[in-house]
Amino acid sequence: MVTRRGSILAAAFLAGALLISLLVLHLERGSANPFGSRAIEDIGLRRVLVAASGPPDAWMKNIADLNGDGRPDLVVAGAQGPVVWYRNPDWKPSTIAASASSESGSAVGDVDGDGDKDVVVGTTWYENRGAGRAWRAHRIGAGGTHDIVVADFDRDGKLDVAMRGETGSTVEIFFQNGKDSWTRIRLDPRFGRNGLDAGDLDGDGYADLAVGGLWLANPGKGAARSARAWKVRRFAQWNAWAAVKIADMDRDGRAHRLTVKIGQRGALVRSRQWVVLSKTSGSKP
């Protein structure tokens, strides 16, 4: 059964995936609804302009607390740079890197395990060296950069990086040995041209991967570093150009299926954790 809250969250995710301007949406009771008449209901979102101009072709956008003050900051990167973060609440911009390269993929996470958030853009990760004041670039390796996620796939205490390109179905996982040492495996579900997310879909404690309609089951432990040990399983029939999001939306621990249609776009949600699929045109998000 679809809950009112679940419908709102699914709609908000799909609408948010289409925003390319530098905006922050705050929940505020009684304010105008920026999503227009197609929204399920007015949930009180207020539009805040963070910057009048920003990186060109700003396909990469993330939210993370980069300076450790307890407030979520914004990270925005252009297709060829720069990589900029905006400090909450005054939105002062600071440059992480003057140049970068990515199709549209980026992620944030504590890559080096020192307690603060680092930034991944394309095949480079940027080490946060003090509350966002200084950064050091580290090369990961060659791979597709349309979609990027981070997770500790082999549970060795070090964050790993998974990525895929826009023109092929292969997914690369880079297992971290150290800051500048990575072991790559290549998985090919033989489907999909967009979309990638990580989450524990079978409840075994290891992060799996999901693409459009398929999920890749992580064998766990040391076997996670063997491409042959990963199994491809189908959970839905869906478009190859699908954006994918995994989340435990109702926290009931049971599998559910839900189909949501919003305008010309669609979503499929399934859970033990929920998998949200948004049909796209194949263009940048």
Side-chain angles (χ1 to χ4, degrees):
M1 180 178 179
V2 181
T3 66
R4 177 170 173 267
R5 183 181 179 188
S7 297
I8 294 172
L9 288 173
F13 164 75
L14 292 170
L18 303 177
L19 295 177
I20 62 173
S21 58
L22 307 180
L23 299 173
V24 179
L25 299 176
H26 290 281
L27 291 176
E28 183 179 84
R29 184 182 298 275
S31 62
N33 182 2
F35 295 126
S37 60
R38 291 192 299 172
I40 291 178
E41 65 178 69
D42 185 350
I43 58 175
L45 295 175
R46 180 170 61 91
R47 181 178 297 178
V48 176
L49 181 65
V50 172
S53 63
D57 298 326
W59 308 127
M60 286 66 71
K61 300 167 287 292
N62 284 281
I63 299 174
D65 179 10
L66 296 186
N67 58 359
D69 66 354
R71 298 185 181 97
D73 307 302
L74 297 180
V75 185
V76 181
Q80 300 301 320
V83 183
V84 180
W85 75 279
Y86 297 85
R87 184 180 66 190
N88 187 350
D90 62 3
W91 307 118
K92 178 184 177 180
S94 298
T95 300
I96 295 173
S99 62
S101 180
S102 180
E103 293 178 79
S104 66
S106 64
V108 291
D110 186 7
V111 177
D112 55 4
D114 64 354
D116 57 24
K117 297 298 184 184
D118 307 298
V119 176
V120 180
V121 177
T123 58
T124 301
W125 75 275
Y126 298 93
E127 179 184 356
N128 188 344
R129 294 177 59 80
R133 292 186 294 268
W135 299 84
R136 176 179 294 174
H138 300 263
R139 175 76 171 169
I140 298 173
T145 60
H146 187 275
D147 299 282
I148 297 174
V149 295
V150 294
D152 185 2
F153 291 104
D154 56 359
R155 292 180 59 184
D156 66 349
K158 295 186 288 293
L159 208 57
D160 309 307
V161 181
M163 58 183 70
R164 70 177 307 175
E166 188 176 21
T167 59
S169 60
T170 58
V171 177
E172 285 96 3
I173 303 178
F174 292 87
F175 289 92
Q176 184 184 170
N177 306 311
K179 288 183 179 182
D180 296 295
S181 176
W182 302 82
T183 297
R184 184 182 73 170
I185 67 169
R186 178 171 291 174
L187 310 176
D188 191 357
R190 301 185 183 277
F191 184 82
R193 293 295 185 270
N194 265 282
L196 179 69
D197 203 8
D200 182 9
L201 292 173
D202 52 10
D204 65 355
Y206 288 87
D208 307 299
L209 288 167
V211 298
L214 302 175
W215 65 284
L216 289 74
N218 186 345
K221 299 182 179 179
R225 293 189 174 220
S226 170
R228 291 185 176 183
W230 288 70
K231 303 300 181 184
V232 179
R233 299 171 180 171
R234 179 173 297 280
F235 62 86
Q237 296 287 341
W238 204 251
N239 190 281
W241 303 93
V244 181
K245 185 65 179 178
I246 298 172
D248 185 3
M249 294 176 68
D250 59 5
R251 299 186 180 184
D252 68 350
R254 295 176 299 174
H256 300 279
R257 290 177 176 84
L258 166 69
T259 299
V260 181
K261 293 183 179 179
I262 302 175
Q264 298 300 315
R265 300 184 180 274
L268 181 84
V269 184
R270 179 188 181 189
S271 82
R272 167 166 304 175
Q273 297 214 35
W274 296 53
V275 180
V276 183
L277 298 175
S278 172
K279 182 179 178 181
T280 70
S281 63
S283 59
K284 295 292 192 297

